[in-house]
Every structure is written in C-alpha cells, then in structure tokens.
Amino acid sequence: MSGSTAPAPAPLPEQPVAVWRALRRPLRFLGSWWPLRCWAYLGSGFVLGYGVLCALALLLGLGVLLAVAGIGLVLLAGALAGAVPLGELERRRLRWAEPEPVADPHTSLAGAGAGAWLRTRLRERATWREFGYALLFGPVFGAAGFGVLALLALSLLLVVSPVIVWALAPEPVMLMPGEAVAGPLEALGGTAVGLAGLVLAAYAAALVTGAQVKTARVLLGPREEDARVLELTRSRVRLVEAFEAERRRIERDLHDGAQQQLVALSMTLGLAELELRRAAGAEGAGGTTGADGADGADGATRADGAAVLVRRAREEAKLALAQLRDLVRGMHPQVLTDHGLAAAVAEVALRHPVPVTVDLQVPRLPEPVEVTAYFTVTEALANAAKHSGASRVAVAGRVEGGRLTLTVTDDGRGGADPGAGAGLAGLADRVAMLRGRLTVSSPVGGPTRLRVEVPCSG
C-alpha cells in the first residue's frame, strides 16, 4: 500500500464543476436530471437572493443613517454577522447543483457565548468573504436566475400554445404582437420556438449555475491559508500530546531503568562497606590476641567478599551510566550538535541491528531541520528493525533548491500503514511544522520507502 502523512499545506486542488462537466455531452445533458436541478437551484436562489438583497439594503441603509447615534454600528455588525448563516445555508443549498461539498471555513466555537462568537466571526476573513457573496447574491445571481426562469416560463407557454389556442377558441390569440393565430395548427410554430427556448434555458441555467458554484467555492469555502492554519493547529495539538507522552516515557525509563540500577548500586556499596569494616575488625582482633590465624583468615575472606561486591557495584554503575547515556542520546544526541546530521545518522547506523547504507551529502543545516531529519531517520530505522523484516536499509539525502530531501528505503515485507501508529504521525507533525512533507510508500511485499522534504530555512 502507499500513503501520504501530513503533507505541507499546499494549494487546495481545483475541483471541476459537475454541471459544466455534464455539458461536455450536450444531448446526454438534455436527457438527464441536470436541467431540472439547475432550474430548481436558480429558482430558489432568485427568491432567497432578493430577500437577502432587501435585508442588506435595509440594515446597511439604517446603519449608515443611525451611525451617529451608535445603534447604526450594531445594525452594520448585524448585517456582517448575518452573512455567516447565509454562507452555511448556501453551502447546503449548493448540494443541489454540486455533489462535491464545500467545507466550512470557520473555526469551531462550540460552547462559546454570543459575545465571543460575534467577536471571533467579525475578525475572520471567511466572514468578510461571505458578506461579499451576500452582496453579489441578489443583484448578480438573483438577476441571472430571474432571466433564466423568465426564458423558461415563456418557452413553456410557447410549447403548450396549441392547447391554449384550442382552449380559448374562438377568441383570437396572438403569439406575436399584431398577428392573431387562427387555430391550433398555426400555433405549432410557437411550439417549435418553445422547444428551442427550453434547450436554450437548460444550457443557460447550466452556465449560470456553474458560475455560481465557482463563486461559492471561492467565497464560501476554505482558502489555502485557512486550511494551513487548521492543519498547523491540529499539528500543534498532536505535538503537545506527543511531547507529553515522551515526557512520561522518559520518566518511566528513569524510574524503571537507571533509578533501579542506582538503588542496587547503593545497596551493593553498603554491603561492601559493611564487609570491609568487618574485615578490618577481624584483622585488628587477630593482631592483638595472637591467635592461630583463624581470625586473620576470616578477615581475608571478608576482604575478598568486599572486593566481589565492589566489582559488582562497578558493573551496576556502568550499566546505569549506559542506560542514562542511551536515554540522553535518544533525546538529543551530542554528535548531532557537534558534527551535524550525516555524522549522527552514521552513528545510529553503526548500532542498528540491520545493515544500513548511509549516503548523506548535506552541509550543516539549521538546528530545527537537522533535529527533524534525525528523528525521522531514527524512527524509520526503528520501524524497519521491528516490523519490516528487512535485510538491509538505505538512507540517502541531498540538498537541492533550498530543500533537504531524505529517503529511507528498506527491502522488507511492506504493508506499512502511515495512519495506524503514532510514530509516523508524530514525525509528520514535526515535518508539517517546518512547512515540509513526509510521504510513505509501502506496497505489500515491499519495498517501504519514506521520503521527507523540508525547506532548509527551517
């Protein structure tokens, strides 16, 4: 399988307009439900648009007139805030003509009071874009919808004109000013014109609907910066959770590892001290009593036991020191600070249980970039050792065009899921904070390839 984890904020993909795509096959379009959907969308938009236009004209007019009294500012703020529910309604109504939904660009304010809601919404760019849409809604799209509906109504009248002439006979009926129609057969020309008008109304409705869909996406949907802020906010939340989990892990490792070794070391040294004191006491007693040497032998035995305990204490001290060194190295290796990314990755590769080939031709980089790249490589190597069953791993890196590109490839069984664990997700969040991209390709059967691109500016 292949996947991409937390890419850097990129321009939102441009989705094709569904009704314009349907227009590429004109005859199939006429035989589908699209004309009816477009007419219904424009008809409801005409009614709603002119209602919005009247409400805006009233609020803005009174707001300007009463601005001196102070209440006008409240009316102006109300006109602006009213664009928010209108935007939500339009995003829902858009589903009549566009299967692809338009996302809500606003931040969630669940549980916020009315004052906090209003202050936040007035500061959001999305609210001002929705207000711009409200200004266009009635005068532009409402008028265009009215024109299409008028053409549709006239065309329908012409289509049924023979029936109208027959029903009103012998009263004269004029399909054109000044020319009366003698009978239903003469009205068949009006039917032909009406059918042509229906076709024209269908195509015109599709064009106007598509234009309104495009405008709604631009003004009512999230922009690139909105998506970036939202993703960065989520990344920060996940990073805070990851850092808290890392703090608990370090605390647990210290408590269960180095702390236990230091406790054992303290006890061993205490026993050694006790044995040395007994040995010294035995030697002193043997020297003063002049015994046959039994006390002296006992003192020598105790001294040997104390030496064994001291030797064991040294081993326990070495073990505790090694555990502390590994813990500190895992937090931030000193070689990374002193010698850079290539040397730090080479040191990790030497200790890795799977043979690792390192080809990193990179200069010294800003510290955030080096730290992110280092932990990405170590996490990828750890995953390869634990889960992939790989026999070799290759790490490569270059700096091109002001961007650091890293790849970690193993020949394991593949099938890695970027969204299944917290390890890759945490790395992706680190990369996203630097405006970078982390992608994982891992088809079943291998190989697994992890790729990181980070701007060298950090």
Side-chain angles (χ1 to χ4, degrees), residues 91-413:
R91 283 187 289 271
R92 293 178 180 272
R93 199 174 67 87
L94 200 65
R95 297 298 299 273
W96 294 9
E98 180 57 44
E100 186 68 26
V102 175
D104 189 349
H106 295 287
T107 57
S108 176
L109 295 176
W117 183 90
L118 181 61
R119 287 191 299 272
T120 303
R121 292 292 180 252
L122 292 182
R123 287 195 297 263
E124 289 180 325
R125 295 180 180 180
T127 302
W128 291 89
R129 294 198 299 268
E130 288 170 335
F131 183 70
Y133 181 87
L135 293 177
L136 292 175
F137 192 17
V140 177
F141 297 114
F146 175 77
V148 173
L149 292 177
L151 176 61
L152 174 63
L154 178 60
S155 300
L156 288 174
L157 287 175
L158 290 175
V159 168
V160 298
S161 58
V163 177
I164 296 175
V165 170
W166 173 80
L168 295 180
E171 295 292 330
V173 177
M174 292 184 293
L175 297 182
M176 297 182 62
E179 296 185 10
V181 178
L185 293 179
E186 293 186 9
L188 290 178
T191 299
V193 174
L195 291 175
L198 287 177
V199 173
L200 181 60
Y203 290 148
L207 293 175
V208 174
T209 299
Q212 190 166 355
V213 168
K214 294 278 287 187
T215 306
R217 284 178 177 175
V218 172
L219 297 180
L220 302 182
R223 293 283 186 89
E224 177 186 347
E225 60 269 20
D226 298 331
R228 178 178 177 182
V229 168
L230 180 61
E231 179 57 32
L232 287 180
T233 301
R234 291 173 176 171
S235 295
R236 290 190 181 100
V237 171
R238 291 193 294 264
L239 282 176
V240 169
E241 294 174 350
F243 289 154
E244 179 62 21
E246 184 70 7
R247 183 194 64 80
R248 290 194 297 267
R249 184 192 67 81
I250 294 173
E251 181 181 359
R252 183 176 61 252
D253 289 347
L254 286 173
H255 180 272
D256 298 339
Q259 180 175 321
Q260 296 298 324
Q261 293 297 329
L262 292 175
V263 169
L265 172 61
S266 177
M267 295 176 64
T268 304
L269 289 175
L271 292 174
E273 180 184 8
L274 181 60
E275 290 294 329
L276 288 173
R277 287 182 177 178
R278 289 177 177 174
E283 290 179 358
T288 56
T289 59
D292 58 0
D295 290 338
D298 183 63
T301 301
R302 293 182 181 275
D304 292 340
V308 172
L309 291 173
V310 170
R311 190 180 306 112
R312 192 174 77 185
R314 288 184 59 195
E315 295 300 325
E316 291 171 349
K318 289 180 181 179
L319 181 58
L321 183 60
Q323 291 179 343
L324 288 174
R325 186 180 294 115
D326 291 339
L327 183 61
V328 172
R329 183 184 294 113
M331 294 168 60
H332 188 92
Q334 187 62 35
V335 66
L336 180 64
T337 302
D338 295 340
H339 303 288
L341 179 63
V345 172
E347 184 185 67
V348 174
L350 291 175
R351 303 195 311 268
H352 200 262
V354 178
V356 180
T357 302
V358 179
D359 180 18
L360 286 177
Q361 299 181 15
V362 296
R364 290 306 303 264
L365 300 169
E367 182 179 2
V369 177
E370 289 191 333
V371 170
T372 298
Y374 174 81
F375 281 107
T376 301
V377 172
T378 55
E379 179 70 22
L381 293 178
N383 288 340
K386 293 178 182 177
H387 310 297
S388 71
S391 61
R392 64 180 181 273
V393 184
V395 180
R398 298 290 186 274
V399 174
E400 297 176 352
R403 295 179 69 85
L404 169 65
T405 301
L406 281 174
T407 58
V408 182
T409 307
D410 68 65
D411 61 352
R413 65 179 64 94

